[in-house]
Amino acid sequence: MTACTTITSPLGDLLLAGEEGADGFTLTSLSMPGQRNAPALRPGWRQTAEPFADAIRQLEAYFAGELTRFDIPFTSEGTDFQQRIWHALEEIPYGTTTTYGTLAGQLELPPERIQALGAAVGANPLLLVRPCHRVIGADGSMRGYAGGVERKVHLLTHEGALQPTLM
């Protein structure tokens, strides 16, 4: 059975979904309002915060600037190619960024696969926990982010990878 809960964050409400499995409860999705391809609440999902207590604690610590790496059990379905890209995202350190081209080079992908790499990054169902927001354009631009470019800028500024702008 899928359980879900919504928490308030500096980015707006976050929807957490997870499943009970043989190895215990795992997070399967972390999404934001307005996110491309975000899962919607479905009939039969049990709304409860209890199985997410540790994930919520870690997210709160992250937003408070007290946590730089998540240790949340998670699972997500995707193709072998997506899983390979998503694993690489998990290795991008807090407070840093990388480019799509650099990531492709690390994974030994030919240049014609960079667009597929970008699609896999965009299909990441675990925003924040699997830090796809740390991937930027080769020119330093904020290429797409499923949660919205303004949220990507907020996260990178929060992590110190971008300097805050004065308005």
Side-chain angles (χ1 to χ4, degrees), residues 5-7 9 11-16 30-32 59 63 128:
T5 194
T6 302
I7 64 168
S9 81
L11 302 175
D13 288 342
L14 302 178
L15 173 63
L16 288 74
L30 192 159
S31 59
M32 304 172 191
L59 287 163
F63 285 117
L128 298 175

Side-chain angles (χ1 to χ4, degrees), residues 130-166:
R130 187 184 287 137
C132 55
H133 60 277
R134 297 180 187 153
V135 184
I136 62 173
D139 61 359
S141 63
M142 298 296 112
R143 302 281 182 212
Y145 180 61
V149 172
E150 63 286 338
R151 288 182 176 133
K152 181 174 191 164
V153 169
H154 178 93
L155 290 168
L156 293 175
T157 302
H158 169 74
E159 293 182 0
L162 287 178
Q163 293 301 312
T165 57
L166 300 175

Side-chain angles (χ1 to χ4, degrees), residues 74-149:
F74 62 83
T75 56
S76 54
E77 293 183 13
T79 66
D80 289 344
F81 181 77
Q82 287 173 324
Q83 295 289 346
R84 184 173 171 217
I85 303 305
W86 296 342
H87 179 73
L89 294 176
E90 295 165 21
E91 301 306 315
I92 304 170
Y94 179 94
T96 67
T97 60
T98 193
T99 66
Y100 292 93
T102 300
L103 197 56
Q106 291 170 344
L107 294 168
E108 300 180 353
L109 297 175
E112 62 269 14
R113 297 292 288 161
I114 291 178
Q115 189 172 3
L117 178 145
V121 170
N124 172 22
L126 294 161
L127 299 187
L128 298 175
V129 175
R130 187 184 287 137
C132 55
H133 60 277
R134 297 180 187 153
V135 184
I136 62 173
D139 61 359
S141 63
M142 298 296 112
R143 302 281 182 212
Y145 180 61
V149 172

Side-chain angles (χ1 to χ4, degrees), residues 11-90:
L11 302 175
D13 288 342
L14 302 178
L15 173 63
L16 288 74
E19 303 263 341
E20 187 68 42
D23 296 328
F25 190 82
T26 59
L27 185 68
T28 57
S29 174
L30 192 159
S31 59
M32 304 172 191
Q35 175 185 328
R36 285 188 318 247
N37 303 318
L41 291 175
R42 297 189 178 121
W45 282 16
R46 183 172 52 101
Q47 292 194 35
T48 176
E50 183 182 343
F52 299 100
D54 187 51
I56 292 169
R57 182 192 57 75
Q58 289 186 49
L59 287 163
E60 289 171 345
Y62 168 82
F63 285 117
E66 301 164 355
L67 184 75
T68 60
R69 187 165 181 92
F70 293 102
D71 183 24
I72 298 171
F74 62 83
T75 56
S76 54
E77 293 183 13
T79 66
D80 289 344
F81 181 77
Q82 287 173 324
Q83 295 289 346
R84 184 173 171 217
I85 303 305
W86 296 342
H87 179 73
L89 294 176
E90 295 165 21

